[in-house]
Amino acid sequence: MGEPKYRVAIIGCGRMGQVYAEAYSAYPDTEIVAIAEFSPERRKVVGKRFGVKALFPDAESLLREVVPDVVSVVTPVKYTKDAV
């Protein structure tokens, strides 16, 4: 049986959020289990790109349903406080 994987949630899937997703996808000990992104179109595209089915419009709804080991908040600075 393989090593356990850290369950990762990414909040914010703009350019930098996608860079983070690429990095987490490259590590063998992490798995992206959920994404929160305000833009419905971007949320769908990024979810498909990284094989993530748990897609949410905001951090609050994500955390009500998913309990990740790691959360990366990758939003513009003016929105970071609300996401955290």
Side-chain angles (χ1 to χ4, degrees):
M1 194 164 191
E3 292 291 317
K5 291 188 175 197
Y6 292 101
R7 296 168 38 87
V8 177
I10 297 177
I11 299 171
C13 290
R15 183 176 54 85
M16 286 308 296
Q18 292 178 53
V19 169
Y20 275 62
E22 287 174 12
Y24 281 119
S25 295
Y27 294 120
D29 61 346
T30 61
E31 174 185 10
I32 303 170
V33 296
I35 288 173
E37 168 57 46
F38 179 74
S39 166
E41 298 84 16
R42 185 180 300 151
R43 184 170 58 237
K44 182 179 175 183
V45 168
V46 175
K48 183 175 180 179
R49 177 178 172 196
F50 292 100
V52 179
K53 292 185 177 19
L55 307 174
F56 301 90
D58 56 51
E60 186 177 338
S61 59
L62 183 153
L63 294 171
R64 270 197 301 259
E65 295 195 32
V66 179
V67 180
D69 299 309
V70 177
V71 177
S72 286
V73 178
V74 195
T75 60
V77 174
K78 65 182 178 180
Y79 302 117
T80 302
K81 180 180 174 187
D82 291 334
V84 171

